[in-house]
Amino acid sequence: MSDPFDYPRHWEADVVLSDGGTVHLRPITPKDADQLREFHGRLSERTRYFRYFGPYPRIPQRDLDRFTTVDHHDRVALIALLGDDIVAVGRFDRLNNGDSAEVAFVVEDAHQGRGLGSILLEHLAAAAKETGLSRFEAEVLAENGQMVRVFRDAGYQVKRAFEEGVLHLEFAIDPTDESITITKAREQSAEARSVHNLLHPRSVAVIGASTDHTKVGHAVLTNLLTADFAGPVYPVNAEHRSVRGVRAYPSVLDIPDDVDLAVVAVPAASVDGVMDACLAKGVKALVVVSSGFGETGPHGLSAERRLAAEARAHGMRVVGPNALGVLNMDPKVRLNASLAPKLPKKGRTGFFCQSGALGTAILANAASRGLGLSTFVSAGNRADVSGNDLLQYWETDPATDVVLLYLESFGNPRKFARLARRLGRTKPIVAVKSGRHAVMPALAATGVPVDEASVQALFEQAGVIRVESLAQMFDTALLLAHQPLPKGPRVAVVGNSTAIGVLAADTLLAQGLELACDPVDVGAQADPEEFAKAVQAAHDRADTDSLVVVFVPPIAVPGTAYARALKEAATSKPIVSTFLAVEGIPDELAVPSGRGSIPSYPSPERAALALARATRYAGWRSSPQGTFTRPDDADTTTARSIVDTALKDESEVQIDDETAVRLLACYGIDVVPFRIVHSAGEAVEAAVELGFPVAMKSTSERLRHRTDLVGVRLDVAGAESVRAAYADLAELSDSDGVYVQRMAPKGISCALGLQDDPSFGTLVSFGLSGLVSDLLGDRAYRAVPLTDTDAAALVRAPKAAPLLTGYRGDEPADLDALQDLILRLAALAEDLPEIRCLTLEPVLASAAGAYVSSAKITLGPRPSRHDAGPRRLR
């Protein structure tokens, strides 16, 4: 690529720095000469000395032209921009037309220590890999400890040589396990810090603060003041000197002090002007409650994207637009920068919600049911800050134990899966995913549409507790927030009504839980002491993991004494109750600290369902995490060559049988040997070569997988039988040719596949073949990459899977062979994203192994990898 203005657009990126601020990265062009000269002028003498190994006060025009005119292949330079100013430069130059390049970067003094060097190294290494480079070399002054640490701490295997005060460093740029781990840890820390800055502002400006009680600007200001925000609040109103008794300013630029957070409550048409003022003021974060953006159509969506891009380029994060706002219930912060007048109490649950309209109802519901929150973010159209950012923050937030998500769409589902899987090992995540059966056009514009099977696979794999409604979310959250996790599936039911106890027991059994004992009925006339004794006895049983307690008192009997008895009996095991038909945490069952309070449900079925969800989550959390494994014998070089050759002149192509066999063989996946023949004589020759008996199949797509096997002849033995079978199939078929294949050991017919999802990357599917399985959609899915635990769970996930494990005395299939096949497919998908669709069917599973009889593979352009490559905001 010789044009200095023509560079790969995917090399541009918005990135989050270690302090939570943002910058924009892109390749340098000759138009950047003036900014580069100014950047150089701002460098200290020491920084210039470290970069150029001597005095270099000014850049000569010849060097300036050379620095800014690169070919984006052998010579690559990336600049980090904050607004219009360059704050860092990184570059590499190929050495001797080989596979190695010299790398160097320099960061403006005021921005050193923000992680820019590490980010530049990541992005330069990714660009270098694309241009065919495999190694970096660097010359660093030994006294330049900060730069040495950038290379040393990146996770690469660095070789060092020292001569005359200069360190010569060399390292391969292929990502290592250590470098990937370091990158993800830095990503988590930086993105968590950016959300921390948003939720812990030292000052807040309300732009559009109004004296009109009906305007949103008035509501936001009122809520901030009512919550008694811990820092100064600055109303911005060009027409009034004060709003609600607080001095107002004509513009954010007129505020004499720094502004950390600005809440924007002006009409959409005025947001551009407000944005310019916030950029000039150096505001660190925006909450845009204004509507009229992406939800209105293409024009609004364009304005929304421009808003987010401008904010990120100037170091800001944005919540919204069309957002309800943000809350931080920490007594040291007391932030209610939202339109919600009624807040729940302080608690240890974090809540992310896309919908602004639902946000107010959600907060009111949480308050009425006694669910306390630590933080709350309603992101509206989610132009920038998303649920993934909040997952990063809550992972290390000591004030949050439970995470709730109301999701309308996914921005980056593949990243969500990775983050949720990691967070879920320490903190439960409960999610409502709306739009299951219908998606509004405006909603589709706010994220990537994802089919239902993909969502279910995502949640199951990541351990996310999926619920159908907000009511179910609160039911589950109340248990998780106040009670310990169950240690197993055995439940005791205690109550003073046989009928209600049986309802609870039926629901528990229907959800796959077990009864520790028959439901205990203490009788309607039992006094508090008898009630407590029965609860305590059930609690203390060694075979009890959790309890459902039902209390429906007779007329005129107060519940306070029974509640006290129940609380005293509750200690180390989780308890849910149907107490006085109250919904939430009744005062009688509340504990001041919150933890240990006993949630109550209006019906025993809802109590049992909440307990079942918590029990399944606890089982996932305590199960082995598994390890990401790859086949040691994979021939990635040959596989890459096969794919590149097949796609050389095609945008999408279904590869032929021979090519499919060769590609699968690169990953140790063998297809049962076959031949394609075009005459009866050839069929006999093929059968003799392969060995009798053989299977014969039509090559017609119309007949290929018919359940009545009309296009298949099995156990064909002898030359005359082969001739007869060939004649039958040739007469039936509308295509030229017949498959002759060695007979595989008889087994249960299965179907495995890879399907490209526009947001997840690739899903691996597994199910049993047959009309019933197809009709019922009995397929299970997992998103790549897979662990060995994922593969084992996938094989056992379909409803028909018991047929593989010796159902009704049949010989079990070799599940290990199926799991190995799945892991090999997953590795193939990871290495070759050009595989848009792959089907292995039938795969015959038996005690002898797993035998692939047929393969169909479609290749296409490499899709966007939403969670691959160097750090960036996506």
Side-chain angles (χ1 to χ4, degrees), residues 712-736:
V712 179
R713 302 291 183 272
L714 301 176
D715 289 308
V716 182
E720 289 308 311
S721 297
V722 168
R723 293 179 184 278
Y726 181 88
D728 288 347
L729 293 173
E731 184 178 353
L732 283 170
S733 179
D734 56 2
S735 62
D736 182 30

Side-chain angles (χ1 to χ4, degrees), residues 626-637:
T627 56
F628 293 103
T629 59
R630 288 182 54 84
D632 295 331
D633 55 352
D635 184 356
T636 56
T637 303

Side-chain angles (χ1 to χ4, degrees), residues 501-843:
V502 169
L503 281 176
D506 283 348
T507 306
L508 292 167
L509 293 172
Q511 290 295 311
L513 302 185
E514 304 169 13
L515 294 181
C517 55
D518 290 334
V520 177
D521 180 8
V522 298
Q525 302 303 319
D527 60 29
E529 289 70 25
E530 292 174 302
F531 183 66
K533 185 176 179 180
V535 173
Q536 191 69 58
H539 179 280
D540 292 344
R541 289 176 60 108
D543 59 353
T544 296
D545 297 311
S546 54
L547 290 88
V548 176
V549 177
V550 178
F551 177 69
V552 183
I555 296 173
V557 177
T560 304
Y562 291 88
R564 187 182 304 114
L566 178 55
K567 282 197 294 187
E568 290 173 355
T571 53
S572 60
K573 296 177 181 177
I575 296 180
V576 295
S577 71
T578 298
F579 190 82
L580 299 170
V582 172
E583 184 174 16
I585 303 290
D587 293 339
E588 298 92 337
L589 296 179
V591 173
S593 65
R595 201 70 183 171
S597 297
I598 299 174
S600 176
Y601 301 87
S603 70
E605 295 95 331
R606 282 175 60 176
L609 287 169
L611 184 60
R613 295 184 197 103
T615 302
R616 284 192 291 269
Y617 165 72
W620 174 87
R621 180 161 149 175
S622 62
S623 65
Q625 294 189 40
T627 56
F628 293 103
T629 59
R630 288 182 54 84
D632 295 331
D633 55 352
D635 184 356
T636 56
T637 303
T638 301
R640 167 51 58 195
S641 175
I642 291 172
V643 169
D644 289 345
T645 300
L647 281 174
K648 187 174 182 181
D649 299 313
E650 301 283 349
S651 58
E652 185 167 302
V653 60
Q654 180 179 329
I655 59 178
D656 59 45
D657 293 305
E658 180 185 352
T659 305
V661 168
R662 288 194 296 119
L663 180 58
L664 291 170
C666 293
Y667 284 80
I669 300 171
D670 295 324
V671 178
V672 177
F674 66 89
R675 302 289 183 269
I676 298 177
V677 300
H678 299 87
S679 69
E682 288 182 9
V684 171
E685 291 177 5
V688 170
E689 180 188 352
L690 294 168
F692 290 105
V694 294
M696 298 178 67
K697 297 180 280 189
S698 170
T699 57
S700 169
E701 289 292 328
R702 179 174 57 86
L703 303 176
R704 190 164 187 169
H705 294 300
R706 280 185 51 161
T707 54
D708 58 7
L709 301 182
V710 68
V712 179
R713 302 291 183 272
L714 301 176
D715 289 308
V716 182
E720 289 308 311
S721 297
V722 168
R723 293 179 184 278
Y726 181 88
D728 288 347
L729 293 173
E731 184 178 353
L732 283 170
S733 179
D734 56 2
S735 62
D736 182 30
V738 170
Y739 289 104
V740 179
Q741 188 168 38
R742 182 182 299 164
M743 279 293 297
K746 288 182 170 57
I748 297 171
S749 181
C750 303
L752 283 81
L754 301 175
Q755 63 183 61
D756 174 60
D757 185 281
S759 51
F760 284 82
T762 304
L763 295 178
V764 182
S765 64
F766 175 77
L768 274 63
S769 300
L771 182 63
V772 174
S773 292
D774 291 343
L775 183 64
L776 298 178
D778 189 17
R779 293 282 186 275
Y781 301 85
R782 291 294 184 272
V784 170
L786 268 63
T787 66
D788 51 0
T789 303
D790 292 329
L794 183 58
V795 168
R796 294 163 176 81
K799 294 181 179 66
L803 294 173
L804 297 168
T805 57
Y807 185 70
R808 291 188 175 180
D810 289 344
E811 187 175 22
D814 184 351
L815 297 187
D816 288 342
L818 280 173
Q819 289 162 208
D820 178 70
L821 179 57
I822 286 170
L823 289 172
R824 290 177 181 275
L825 271 183
L828 178 71
E830 275 286 278
D831 294 344
L832 302 169
E834 293 89 348
I835 295 178
R836 312 312 295 269
C837 182
L838 180 151
T839 302
L840 305 182
E841 185 180 16
V843 176

Side-chain angles (χ1 to χ4, degrees), residues 132-458:
L133 292 168
S134 62
R135 300 184 63 78
F136 272 167
E137 300 180 18
E139 304 284 338
V140 183
L141 290 173
E143 58 194 290
N144 191 355
Q146 195 168 1
M147 192 59 63
V148 173
R149 282 193 297 274
V150 169
F151 292 109
R152 184 192 65 197
D153 296 343
Y156 297 108
Q157 298 296 316
V158 180
K159 294 181 180 179
R160 297 182 173 194
F162 182 75
E163 183 177 352
E164 296 182 357
V166 176
L167 277 172
H168 179 78
L169 310 175
E170 290 188 29
F171 54 93
I173 57 176
D174 276 330
T176 65
D177 289 342
E178 184 181 1
S179 71
I180 293 171
T181 299
I182 289 171
T183 296
K184 299 307 182 189
R186 286 172 172 168
E187 173 197 61
Q188 189 277 326
S189 177
E191 293 180 4
R193 184 66 194 181
S194 73
V195 175
H196 179 277
N197 295 346
L198 170 71
L199 294 173
H200 294 77
R202 292 166 299 179
S203 58
V204 179
V206 180
I207 303 174
S210 176
T211 58
D212 185 342
H213 290 220
T214 65
K215 297 293 182 64
V216 293
H218 183 275
V220 172
L221 179 63
T222 298
N223 294 337
L224 273 166
L225 297 175
T226 303
D228 190 26
F229 174 60
V233 177
Y234 303 108
V236 175
N237 185 310
E239 298 177 358
H240 295 86
R241 295 186 61 185
S242 67
V243 182
R244 283 190 58 88
V246 181
R247 179 184 175 183
Y249 298 87
S251 164
V252 70
L253 294 171
D254 297 314
I255 298 172
D257 302 312
D258 291 338
V259 174
D260 285 350
L261 174 66
V263 183
V264 180
V266 300
S270 303
V271 168
D272 277 349
V274 167
M275 185 74 176
D276 292 339
C278 288
L279 300 179
K281 181 66 179 175
V283 174
K284 295 183 176 62
L286 294 178
V287 173
V288 183
V289 299
S290 309
S291 58
F293 287 88
E295 75 279 6
T296 64
H299 180 73
L301 182 60
S302 176
E304 178 178 304
R305 289 173 174 167
R306 187 170 63 250
L307 166 69
E310 282 292 308
R312 289 174 171 180
H314 287 78
M316 290 191 293
R317 300 302 306 270
V318 178
V319 172
N322 199 25
L324 180 74
V326 300
L327 305 177
N328 186 347
M329 306 299 290
D330 186 338
K332 297 179 181 178
V333 181
R334 306 186 300 278
L335 175 69
N336 180 9
S338 81
L339 300 175
K342 185 177 181 181
L343 302 183
K345 64 184 180 181
K346 181 185 182 300
R348 302 190 61 79
T349 300
F351 205 135
F352 174 82
C353 172
Q354 279 180 236
S355 170
L358 270 177
T360 301
I362 285 170
L363 292 172
N365 202 336
S368 66
R369 297 186 64 173
L371 179 65
L373 299 183
S374 57
T375 45
F376 172 88
V377 174
S378 163
N381 294 2
R382 208 191 58 237
D384 178 24
V385 172
S386 70
N388 287 344
D389 293 293
L390 271 297
L391 293 182
Q392 299 277 41
Y393 170 73
W394 284 321
E395 180 179 350
T396 51
D397 177 28
T400 300
D401 294 333
V402 179
V403 169
L404 306 182
L405 305 172
Y406 180 86
L407 304 172
E408 295 175 347
S409 62
F410 287 101
N412 189 343
R414 191 177 171 98
K415 183 175 181 178
F416 173 87
R418 171 170 60 86
L419 300 184
R421 189 173 193 156
R422 190 175 67 204
L423 174 60
R425 288 291 170 180
T426 57
K427 300 178 182 181
I429 303 169
V430 186
V432 176
K433 171 63 176 71
S434 67
R436 172 176 289 202
H437 300 297
V439 178
M440 298 296 290
L443 177 61
T446 67
V448 181
V450 183
D451 70 82
E452 179 57 28
S454 302
V455 174
Q456 191 60 36
L458 168 69

